[in-house]
Amino acid sequence: MEKTNVKMVYQYDGSKFCGFQRQNGMKTVQGEIEKIIFRTFSQKINMISSGRTDKGVHAMEQVSNFVIDSKIPLEAIKRQINKCLRREVKVLSIEKADKKFNARFNAKSRTYLYIMRDEENITPFEANYVTGLRKSVDAERFQEIMHDFVGKYDFSGFMKKDKAYRNPIREIFYVKCYYDEKFGKKQVNVEICGNGFLKTMVRIMIGSALAVYFGNEEKDYIRKRLEKPNVDGKKILADSEGLYLYKVSY
């Protein structure tokens, strides 16, 4: 039977899932989507995705591809996922892709967005979507600290152990820190764009930069760990709530 390689772009609320990657006995983004397609269309698929997000991390634009029988209407897949995972996942677009398209390996860049705000200005309705800080952060000063990450480095000092990724070399193209128009200096947004990211890498980057900013680590902490990535097993994690997979470029 003829097969179609499908490209799907979608969003999800990470607070509703135990991470992205399929796990036995756990509710995950990949696991739920694959189950819906199996139950509805009797098709067992394996989603290949631009990245795998941690528990509590959201996506404004995740991209996946999978192979399915050509007779199944793509709009029916979109409709079924949006219906079954309402308020959790939303498929933005679904289309037939080239047979060689691979959502992971063809991605030229991924951009993550981290949102952090003075915790006194976070409502209970926002608590799963913004990281709370005890004190406000100056965007310009935080930009200077984060700039140390820009370039091509061994990031094994800024990742959790992961058997799936043997090569820890990644390149960060840019980091942009700016105030949110709505909240002014109470909220800082951080965009990090790179060719790829290791397990929990963005959260450790942000956590390390915050430790430097608030004086819990030396000013050269980031540079030293990039120069000697395996000096110790220390990892400083920022909270997951404010992190979003923002966009993927091909």
Side-chain angles (χ1 to χ4, degrees), residues 173-225:
F173 301 135
Y174 71 80
V175 176
K176 186 164 65 174
C177 306
Y178 54 93
Y179 295 116
D180 187 276
E181 289 182 8
K182 184 178 178 181
F183 297 96
K185 293 187 177 182
K186 293 174 183 175
Q187 177 172 308
V188 173
N189 295 350
V190 183
E191 286 182 32
I192 305 174
C193 179
N195 62 352
F197 293 87
L198 301 162
K199 188 174 184 180
T200 321
M201 178 174 153
V202 177
R203 289 174 61 197
I204 297 172
M205 289 169 68
I206 296 285
S208 301
L210 285 170
V212 173
Y213 183 91
F214 289 117
N216 298 319
E217 294 293 344
E218 297 295 323
K219 290 182 179 180
D220 59 355
Y221 174 78
I222 292 170
R223 285 195 296 274
K224 281 185 175 179
R225 292 189 74 79

Side-chain angles (χ1 to χ4, degrees):
M1 189 172 289
E2 192 178 346
K3 300 284 186 178
T4 295
N5 188 20
V6 177
K7 177 185 176 184
M8 188 169 75
V9 182
Y10 55 106
Q11 302 173 324
Y12 54 82
D13 180 344
S15 69
K16 309 286 175 58
F17 299 94
C18 297
F20 178 84
Q21 191 176 18
R22 185 196 315 118
Q23 298 177 64
N24 288 334
M26 307 283 272
K27 182 181 178 181
T28 67
V29 179
Q30 179 184 11
E32 292 305 300
I33 292 174
E34 290 181 350
K35 273 193 266 185
I36 287 167
I37 291 176
F38 180 72
R39 285 199 307 258
T40 309
F41 305 103
S42 301
Q43 292 281 298
K44 192 170 184 179
I45 66 161
N46 177 41
M47 293 169 64
I48 298 168
S49 305
S50 68
R52 303 173 301 170
T53 52
D54 295 340
K55 180 180 179 181
V57 177
H58 317 286
M60 293 183 182
E61 185 184 292
Q62 172 67 284
V63 182
S64 298
N65 74 285
F66 53 87
V67 176
I68 201 162
D69 284 352
S70 297
K71 65 179 181 180
I72 298 172
L74 300 189
E75 281 301 313
I77 297 173
K78 177 182 177 180
R79 193 163 53 247
Q80 194 66 17
I81 293 171
N82 287 346
K83 177 186 173 184
C84 295
L85 293 175
R86 190 165 158 256
R87 298 190 182 97
E88 297 179 350
V89 174
K90 182 177 183 180
V91 177
L92 302 174
S93 66
I94 188 166
E95 62 184 10
K96 183 177 179 179
D98 185 90
K99 289 181 180 179
K100 294 181 180 179
F101 175 75
N102 184 296
R104 178 183 170 193
F105 294 117
N106 290 152
K108 292 180 179 177
S109 71
R110 290 111 169 140
T111 304
Y112 278 86
L113 173 67
Y114 197 80
I115 302 173
M116 49 192 183
R117 192 190 308 159
D118 179 345
E119 62 185 7
E120 290 186 4
N121 290 284
I122 298 175
T123 69
F125 313 106
E126 300 170 301
N128 287 328
Y129 310 102
V130 181
T131 291
L133 300 177
R134 291 182 182 177
K135 295 180 181 178
S136 297
V137 165
D138 179 81
E140 192 173 329
R141 189 175 152 220
F142 200 71
Q143 173 85 48
E144 290 175 6
I145 296 169
M146 289 292 295
H147 187 72
D148 284 346
F149 288 115
V150 177
K152 195 173 186 179
Y153 300 103
D154 179 339
F155 277 93
S156 52
F158 296 90
M159 66 171 284
K160 279 190 173 182
K161 288 184 179 179
D162 187 358
K163 295 177 182 177
Y165 290 90
R166 299 181 189 279
N167 179 13
I169 306 298
R170 294 292 184 272
E171 184 174 1
I172 301 300
F173 301 135
Y174 71 80
V175 176
K176 186 164 65 174
C177 306
Y178 54 93
Y179 295 116
D180 187 276
E181 289 182 8
K182 184 178 178 181
F183 297 96
K185 293 187 177 182
K186 293 174 183 175
Q187 177 172 308
V188 173
N189 295 350
V190 183
E191 286 182 32
I192 305 174
C193 179
N195 62 352
F197 293 87
L198 301 162
K199 188 174 184 180
T200 321
M201 178 174 153
V202 177
R203 289 174 61 197
I204 297 172
M205 289 169 68
I206 296 285
S208 301
L210 285 170
V212 173
Y213 183 91
F214 289 117
N216 298 319
E217 294 293 344
E218 297 295 323
K219 290 182 179 180
D220 59 355
Y221 174 78
I222 292 170
R223 285 195 296 274
K224 281 185 175 179
R225 292 189 74 79
L226 289 171
E227 290 166 5
K228 296 182 179 180
N230 297 307
V231 66
D232 58 38
K234 188 175 181 179
K235 303 289 188 297
I236 307 171
L237 259 74
D239 292 339
S240 61
E241 292 87 358
L243 184 57
Y244 299 76
L245 176 56
Y246 189 41
K247 53 188 166 186
V248 185
S249 299
Y250 290 92

